[in-house]
C-alpha cells in the first residue's frame, strides 16, 4: 500500500483527495476524484501512512467499508450523522493505532455497544449502522442541541465531548 500520508473525503456520491488530481497528498479538491451512484457496496482501503479520511455521508443503499490498513490514521465521521444512510464499517488496522472521531452537530440519541463477543463496537442512532473494530480510541463530539448518549459497552478507549447542549 501507499506509505504516504493521505487526506481523503467520502460524500454521498464521491471520493476525493488521496492524491487524486494533485501531487500534494494533503489537498482535497472535491471537484476531482471518483463520482459514483447506485452502488450496493463500496470498499475503501487506505495505505500504511498516517492517513486522515473523513466520511461526511454514506449513500442510501450503499454498504460502505473503510479499512485504515495500518498506520497512525485519523478517521472522522460527521458532522451530520443523518447523512449516514446505510451501514458503515470501519476497520482500524491490526496495529491498533487508528483514532475514530464521530462528530454530531444535530440533536441525536446515540447508543454505543459491542457485538461479536466484544470485538466490534457499534454506534446506533444514525439512519445507518456504524460499526468499528481495531481502534486505539474513539472520540465522540456532540453538538449544542439536546443529545442523549447511552453507553452499554465499549470496545476501545472512549472520549466523549457533550458540547453545550442539554444532555
Amino acid at each position: 500500500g501507499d506509505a504516504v500520508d493521505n487526506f481523503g473525503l467520502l460524500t454521498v456520491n464521491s471520493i476525493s483527495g488521496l492524491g487524486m488530481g494533485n501531487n500534494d497528498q494533503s489537498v482535497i479538491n472535491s471537484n476531482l476524484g471518483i463520482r459514483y451512484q447506485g452502488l450496493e457496496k463500496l470498499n475503501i482501503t487506505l495505505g500504511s501512512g498516517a492517513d486522515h479520511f473523513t466520511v461526511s455521508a454514506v449513500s442510501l443503499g450503499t454498504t460502505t467499508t473503510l479499512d485504515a490498513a495500518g498506520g497512525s490514521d485519523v478517521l472522522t465521521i460527521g458532522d451530520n450523522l443523518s447523512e449516514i444512510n446505510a451501514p458503515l464499517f470501519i476497520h482500524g488496522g491490526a496495529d491498533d493505532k487508528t483514532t475514530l472521531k464521530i462528530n454530531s452537530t444535530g440533536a441525536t440519541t446515540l447508543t454505543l455497544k459491542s457485538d461479536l463477543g466484544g470485538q466490534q463496537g457499534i454506534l446506533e442512532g444514525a439512519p445507518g449502522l456504524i460499526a468499528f473494530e481495531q481502534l486505539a480510541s474513539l472520540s465522540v463530539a456532540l453538538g449544542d442541541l439536546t443529545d442523549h448518549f447511552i453507553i452499554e459497552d465499549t470496545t476501545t478507549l472512549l472520549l466523549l465531548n457533550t458540547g453545550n447542549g442539554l444532555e
Side-chain angles (χ1 to χ4, degrees), residues 1-108:
D2 184 357
V4 176
D5 301 346
N6 287 289
F7 288 68
L9 174 65
L10 174 67
T11 68
V12 72
N13 64 356
S14 69
I15 304 169
S16 54
L18 305 174
M20 292 184 281
N22 197 311
N23 289 331
D24 184 347
Q25 303 284 21
S26 67
V27 172
I28 298 174
N29 182 339
S30 59
N31 294 319
L32 301 173
I34 299 169
R35 303 277 183 255
Y36 67 90
Q37 67 180 28
L39 297 178
E40 184 176 320
K41 291 184 180 182
L42 176 62
N43 297 319
I44 301 167
T45 302
L46 304 176
S48 60
D51 301 314
H52 294 258
F53 196 89
T54 299
V55 177
S56 69
V58 173
S59 183
L60 183 64
T62 303
T63 298
T64 302
T65 301
L66 176 59
D67 187 344
S72 297
D73 301 316
V74 177
L75 310 177
T76 304
I77 302 171
D79 288 326
N80 187 350
L81 293 184
S82 67
E83 296 293 322
I84 308 301
N85 292 302
L88 173 61
F89 299 98
I90 305 289
H91 301 285
D95 57 5
D96 288 337
K97 294 181 181 177
T98 299
T99 296
L100 176 60
K101 296 180 177 185
I102 299 175
N103 302 319
S104 176
T105 56
T108 55

